[in-house]
Amino acid sequence: MPLPSASQTPSEMGAAGAQDAQQVDVAVVGAGFAGLYLLIRLRRAGFTAVALDTADDVGGTWYWNRYPGARCDIQTTDYSYTFDPELESAWHWSEKYATQPEILRYLGFVADRYDLRRDIRFGTKVLTATWDEAAQRWLLTTDNGKPVSCRYYIMASGCLSAPKPPEIDGVGDFKGEIYFTGRWPHDGVELAGKRVAVIGTGSSGVQSIPKIAEQAARLTVFQRTPNFAFPAHNGPSPADRVAALEKDRADYRAQARMSLTGVPLERATEFSWQLSEAERRQRFEKALAAGDLVAMLSQLWADQGGDLEGNALASDLLRERIRSIVKDPETAEALTPRDHPFGSKRPCLETDYYATFNRPNVTLVNLRQEPIQAITASGIKTDRRSFDLDVIVFATGFDAMTGAITSVHPIAGRGGKSISDVWASGPKTYLGLTVAGFPNLFMITGPGSPSVFSNMVVSIEQHADWVVDCLMAMREAGFTAIEATEAAQAGWARHMADCSQLTLHRLANTWYTGANVPGKAPGLMPYPGGVGPYRTICDEVVSRGMLGFTLSGPNGAAQCDDGEIVRLQPDVRLVLNMLADLNLPPLESFGAEGARGFVAQFNATRPAGRPVGEVLDGTLAGADGPLPYRLYRPATPGPHPIVVYFHGGGWVLGDAQSDDPFCRDMCRRSGMIFVSVGYRHAPEHRFPAAAEDGYAALRWIGEHAAELGGRPGPLLVAGWSAGGNIAAVTCQLARDRGGPSIAGQLLVNPVTDCTFDRPSYVENATGYFLTRSLMYWFWDLYCSPADRTDPRASPLRGKLEGLPAAFVVTCEFDPLRDEGIAYAEALAAAGVPVEQLQAGGHFHSSFTMVDVVATGVDGRAKMAEALRRFAEVEEAMPKAAE
Ligand code: NAP
């Protein structure tokens, strides 16, 4: 089949090629898990379809990866199709983790059972795929048989199907045998009595090295980066997992679909600091005994995946285990990962991996100390020595995700645009399913979807179902083309970046981020927001009229509901969905006492805040009698600057307890004393009680600063919400009433004015927890309309010249957003140094829900930096607290 010439236009090529092309509704690349399930669904939906695969049989990744020891790392209870209960009962896995031959048999069994092979063209490589604008179809040229003309083109080419080139000089000079784990010969390799090298210690290396060591005369392992690995404990499937599945299969599968990983395991909810060392070790031992990747990655403690300190505790325990197995201390140290947090790089399940390095015929070469210079005719030469070899095995991985698409063949979309060019600076997709400019092209588990961060089978079924349901709905509605919009795609990129903040993947050089391929654009490719949340997003796209897609068809049929599907931060979205599901009555309907009780109850269910050096309760003199305070002292040696803090709660609710996690976190991050003031509440004490208490507390704390452990010099003031209002007012009063001196004010979502017609009050009137009607209620309880323009109630109406430097935080989905911004702008106009943080995707409580809204970390870090700048603190914070 001649390749299309560069001078041909897509239409010419389409017209020429399409004449004798195989005509189908849908063409699929790949006959692995995804391709097979797609064929089943497409056929049932009445579409004509063909799958094309270069392999000679079904299997996809399991067809190619036949290296010794190849197994799946997800338990067989979970790594199976779930679409047909009869299929589930017709197949029995023999072990907890299936071997590659068993999985291949399973896929062959599926192909036979549903008679799929008749729609698969094996041994056929697609050479080019070109969108024919005039025909509104894709034209595929192939190296074997007819071209294919299809309405829809689906890449089911996997995530790890394009092996990476060796990238080492001299490979062609080697006179011995060379193998790639990802392209292992089908009739096996004789290694007995040979001197073998394995380059690479990812999952493929970790699985194959023990098996190769058993056969080879000598095995030399060339390791660049050690990986975290822990035992698989293969054997029969665990009884409890099997029982859970068999008790209610449908429920088990439904839970898997809504879980974060596609495996229905409960995640740890306790934070590391809530557990004693013995409790942590006990959890670790339990996860170790389970021999399960998902258990070890999610069941230790809640902060293991997103927080460096929590992660370090897990990493240390895994490192300790390596030392306990590997006898030679130098080898043990070389095998110990120290350059990345546990889980940021794909960890491995191992069977005898570490013990293999105790064998007399095995040597580890640490490439960090002696890099490979070249491969020679006789073996491998590092910059210290030469190794004579008979066989070199490359377990060097894949050009993952994007490579699994771009390396299949050139894909030319609208206007001849190449997908490789569109992705030159990193993958751009909408939902990891589609790409703007490439109509009617779908990717199964593409970059931007949970894919390799999940049990692949669950994600494959979800994608195939979504795509086929979409094609059926289009057929029903008379549409023949679908394309993502640029706006939707850009929104998805932002959401991906927001989700990435919740993980530590940015701290590792991995194939997840493209760092393993020289020159590849960096960026996290799999969607890190979880399988369940992702599924609800895809479903929401549909329920909102295919939001972010342009649909078109014959006779001018067209529809485009443009927009971004997720504008909230991922964890804010989860919190708000959870609150919406609770269907709570409005807070104001409880009355003041009832609302206080409700909030106290809610706070009691929160995890305890992080430890600080000391927390003590005391009493200070308010404007009209004693007031309680709670002081948070950092663990670092004092004296420290003091921050006078005012809690939120609309002047009606809240106390030190309600803002306790925030104060602890800010105390740790800033290295400052936080004194949380228990000012009087409305309606018992109406305006100006709270404002006057705020000022009185400031004076008292200033006068007692040294006793409290404070550093000599000005105080700082901070507050959230109504507390931000009191903080702002306090600064004005301190300026006007002769002190004390204030170095800076941190105003987090402050109330600054008594008008309710700014856009944020309208846009965010409902749905974001703090509602407009709740704010009306707070104002009514606190302050009569006649008093509201008093600057002690509405500081925006006060004189702003000569106030301390300010850091003003506002959140996009907060009724108070615009008055916060107005205050910052007015301060700046009055000559006050002001910095603003306008937090996109956040809501009113984002920064104070410390352990729930993890995406607030970055904002709190910036707040702490601002406080330290205001206080002119120069010494760096200890690393762990940053
Ligand atoms: P990988 O995780 O990317 O590991 C490749 C290894 O080769 C790394 O140790 C890498 O070192 C090293 N390497 C790459 N280029 C090198 C070079 N030029 N010189 C020296 N060393 C080099 O690839 P993989 O082991 O094939 O696994 C890929 C993914 O496939 C896994 O993470 C997993 O998701 C999947 N997989 C799954 C299973 C299973 O389920 N059991 C089995 C195999 C694979 P650096 O780390 O320094 O780059």
Side-chain angles (χ1 to χ4, degrees):
M1 175 61 53
L3 280 172
S5 80
S7 58
Q8 280 177 304
T9 67
S11 281
E12 282 164 355
M13 212 163 61
Q19 281 164 10
D20 64 339
Q22 179 182 4
Q23 302 285 334
V24 284
D25 295 325
V26 187
V28 175
V29 170
F33 266 96
L36 296 184
Y37 181 50
L38 273 167
L39 282 184
I40 295 169
R41 280 287 333 253
L42 288 164
R43 212 185 260 173
R44 287 182 179 171
F47 292 104
T48 55
V50 64
L52 304 116
D53 200 308
T54 48
D56 290 330
D57 200 353
V58 298
T61 199
W62 299 107
Y63 174 90
W64 296 107
N65 285 272
R66 298 175 185 231
Y67 58 84
R71 278 182 197 271
C72 184
D73 271 356
I74 296 286
Q75 296 195 22
T76 44
T77 37
D78 303 277
Y79 197 76
S80 304
Y81 287 119
T82 69
F83 65 89
D84 182 352
E86 283 178 21
L87 170 63
E88 291 202 49
S89 42
W91 180 266
H92 298 283
W93 295 103
S94 65
E95 288 179 284
K96 174 180 168 188
Y97 294 112
T99 58
Q100 173 271 335
E102 188 173 19
I103 301 173
L104 200 56
R105 278 201 302 280
Y106 172 69
L107 291 171
F109 174 79
V110 170
D112 291 340
R113 187 179 174 91
Y114 300 93
D115 186 20
L116 301 177
R117 285 194 174 86
R118 68 182 155 92
D119 285 333
I120 306 173
R121 283 171 56 179
F122 292 111
T124 304
K125 182 170 169 50
V126 181
L127 298 174
T128 59
T130 308
W131 174 247
D132 182 342
E133 187 70 42
Q136 296 277 290
R137 291 175 76 85
W138 284 93
L139 179 67
L140 317 180
T141 57
T142 71
D143 70 347
N144 179 17
K146 286 184 169 197
V148 177
S149 166
C150 55
R151 174 75 63 202
Y152 302 101
Y153 186 35
I154 308 179
M155 300 299 288
S157 45
C159 296
L160 295 152
S161 48
K164 205 169 70 99
E167 299 151 7
I168 300 172
D169 290 343
V171 178
D173 300 338
F174 184 56
K175 298 278 183 261
E177 303 157 55
I178 284 184
Y179 301 103
F180 288 81
T181 49
R183 290 286 180 274
W184 201 258
H186 287 197
D187 32 13
V189 176
E190 185 51 67
L191 296 173
K194 294 184 179 162
R195 296 160 302 171
V196 180
V198 173
I199 304 178
T201 52
S203 299
S204 305
V206 165
Q207 285 188 333
S208 58
I209 284 164
K211 296 286 177 194
I212 294 174
E214 284 170 10
Q215 300 167 35
R218 273 223 68 77
L219 170 63
T220 312
V221 176
F222 293 83
Q223 173 197 269
R224 192 162 65 184
T225 313
N227 248 358
F228 285 102
F230 45 92
H233 295 311
N234 196 27
S237 284
D240 56 344
R241 188 77 72 98
V242 173
L245 176 63
E246 283 176 356
K247 186 168 156 237
D248 187 342
R249 207 168 265 271
D251 180 60
Y252 184 94
R253 299 298 188 209
Q255 282 185 40
R257 292 182 189 118
M258 292 314 292
S259 67
L260 288 184
T261 54
V263 179
L265 290 190
E266 297 272 323
R267 297 172 71 80
T269 50
E270 296 82 5
F271 289 81
S272 59
W273 64 86
Q274 295 175 273
L275 302 167
S276 67
E277 199 185 328
E279 287 169 326
R280 287 200 296 268
R281 190 169 284 273
Q282 195 187 13
R283 283 177 178 225
F284 173 72
E285 296 295 343
K286 192 172 164 211
L288 207 57
D292 186 286
L293 212 50
V294 180
M296 188 63 88
L297 283 165
S298 64
Q299 294 194 316
L300 300 180
W301 33 90
D303 50 326
Q304 69 178 95
D307 178 86
L308 269 181
E309 283 179 66
N311 186 281
L313 295 164
S315 302
D316 284 346
L317 288 165
L318 285 160
R319 291 185 189 118
E320 192 182 296
R321 183 175 165 268
I322 301 170
R323 288 193 294 275
S324 75
I325 301 173
V326 180
K327 293 191 179 126
D328 172 46
E330 201 182 326
T331 305
E333 180 51 31
L335 286 165
T336 302
R338 299 204 182 273
D339 74 332
H340 64 277
F342 167 58
S344 59
K345 195 167 180 148
R346 162 71 144 79
C348 310
L349 285 186
E350 55 102 2
T351 302
D352 298 331
Y353 178 66
Y354 292 115
T356 294
F357 292 91
N358 294 332
R359 294 175 66 110
N361 68 330
V362 176
T363 307
L364 180 72
V365 176
N366 182 349
L367 298 180
R368 299 281 174 203
Q369 288 175 358
E370 48 174 319
I372 296 178
Q373 277 190 343
I375 293 177
T376 62
S378 60
I380 295 178
K381 188 172 172 334
T382 70
D383 64 1
R384 288 192 194 165
R385 36 190 175 154
S386 292
F387 297 85
D388 288 338
L389 299 164
D390 304 307
V391 178
I392 300 177
V393 174
F394 285 95
T396 42
F398 301 87
D399 180 355
M401 305 207 67
T402 46
I405 290 170
T406 55
S407 71
V408 177
H409 53 66
I411 301 179
R414 199 183 283 291
K417 201 174 261 186
S418 136
I419 206 162
S420 303
D421 291 346
V422 171
W423 285 356
S425 56
K428 298 183 179 80
T429 73
Y430 183 36
L431 304 170
L433 272 163
T434 57
V435 185
F438 295 80
N440 291 6
L441 174 74
F442 295 96
M443 300 168 295
I444 302 300
T445 62
S449 74
S451 55
V452 292
F453 282 162
S454 70
N455 172 1
M456 286 297 286
V457 187
V458 169
S459 289
I460 284 170
E461 285 189 339
Q462 186 253 336
H463 262 189
D465 287 339
W466 192 94
V467 171
V468 179
D469 290 349
C470 166
L471 300 191
M472 288 167 71
M474 286 174 64
R475 183 175 57 190
E476 181 90 352
F479 294 120
T480 50
I482 177 167
E483 183 180 347
T485 69
E486 292 286 351
Q489 189 162 281
W492 191 248
R494 195 190 35 69
H495 175 59
M496 283 278 292
D498 290 343
C499 290
S500 308
Q501 283 185 59
L502 297 168
T503 74
L504 299 175
H505 293 295
R506 65 187 176 282
L507 302 177
N509 288 328
T510 66
W511 59 262
Y512 291 149
T513 63
N516 67 327
V517 176
K520 189 164 174 173
L524 190 64
M525 292 185 286
Y527 174 78
V531 164
Y534 175 80
R535 175 182 291 269
T536 64
I537 291 168
C538 291
D539 291 347
E540 192 181 327
V541 166
V542 176
S543 68
R544 291 173 66 185
M546 297 305 284
L547 185 80
F549 284 107
T550 302
L551 301 168
S552 56
N555 308 320
Q559 172 193 311
C560 180
D561 188 2
D562 203 358
E564 297 176 22
I565 185 65
V566 186
R567 293 181 59 210
L568 293 165
Q569 290 291 332
D571 40 11
V572 170
R573 178 176 177 271
L574 294 183
V575 168
L576 290 173
N577 284 348
M578 198 188 71
L579 287 169
D581 287 346
L582 292 176
N583 209 7
L584 299 169
L587 198 54
E588 56 273 30
S589 68
F590 292 115
E593 269 310 312
R596 285 172 195 154
F598 175 82
V599 170
Q601 215 181 352
F602 178 79
N603 289 341
T605 64
R606 280 186 320 195
R610 285 202 169 195
V612 294
E614 184 185 22
V615 179
L616 51 92
D617 290 330
T619 305
L620 53 75
D624 191 29
L627 297 174
Y629 72 81
R630 179 167 295 174
L631 182 144
Y632 301 84
R633 195 187 311 287
T636 49
H640 304 94
I642 295 182
V643 181
V644 180
Y645 179 77
F646 301 104
H647 65 76
W651 308 282
V652 175
L653 318 168
D655 50 25
Q657 192 53 34
S658 63
D659 289 30
D660 180 78
F662 182 68
C663 288
R664 285 173 183 267
D665 191 78
M666 291 301 296
C667 166
R668 288 167 58 90
R669 285 177 193 282
S670 64
M672 296 182 185
I673 292 173
F674 266 62
V675 183
S676 181
V677 176
Y679 56 88
R680 286 173 294 164
H681 286 159
E684 295 84 352
H685 305 280
R686 285 168 62 83
F687 174 83
E692 291 298 341
D693 277 352
Y695 178 62
L698 181 79
R699 286 198 73 101
W700 187 91
I701 292 165
E703 284 156 15
H704 296 80
E707 292 155 48
L708 297 174
R711 197 184 70 172
L715 298 170
L716 297 116
V717 171
W720 169 58
S721 191
N725 170 275
I726 299 170
V729 169
T730 301
C731 290
Q732 295 190 10
L733 297 180
R735 176 200 57 197
D736 299 340
R737 297 181 185 175
S741 164
I742 299 173
Q745 49 181 327
L746 168 65
L747 310 178
V748 186
N749 314 106
V751 183
T752 70
D753 196 22
C754 57
T755 55
F756 309 106
D757 52 2
R758 292 188 173 85
S760 59
Y761 250 101
V762 179
E763 291 161 18
N764 307 317
T766 58
Y768 303 104
F769 196 61
L770 179 67
T771 61
R772 179 168 57 188
S773 75
L774 184 57
M775 276 311 297
Y776 287 164
W777 183 66
F778 285 145
W779 271 105
D780 287 344
L781 294 191
Y782 180 51
C783 194
S784 65
D787 287 333
R788 290 185 191 178
T789 53
D790 186 314
R792 288 175 300 166
S794 295
L796 185 58
R797 292 167 191 253
K799 178 185 151 206
L800 303 181
E801 285 77 11
L803 287 174
F807 190 85
V808 182
V809 180
T810 51
C811 292
E812 186 180 2
F813 296 98
D814 181 1
L816 304 183
R817 178 193 70 205
D818 292 344
E819 65 194 78
I821 294 172
Y823 196 62
E825 287 172 353
L827 286 172
V832 177
V834 182
E835 290 169 70
Q836 282 198 60
L837 170 63
Q838 296 185 12
H842 282 289
F843 79 133
H844 189 69
S845 305
S846 279
F847 294 112
T848 48
M849 290 182 100
V850 171
D851 294 316
V852 182
V853 181
T855 51
V857 167
D858 196 42
R860 286 195 303 277
K862 291 194 170 96
M863 296 178 210
E865 279 163 28
L867 289 173
R868 290 166 65 78
R869 273 196 304 281
F870 295 152
E872 296 178 356
V873 178
E874 266 153 29
E875 68 275 19
M877 283 297 292
K879 203 85 201 117
E882 278 173 7

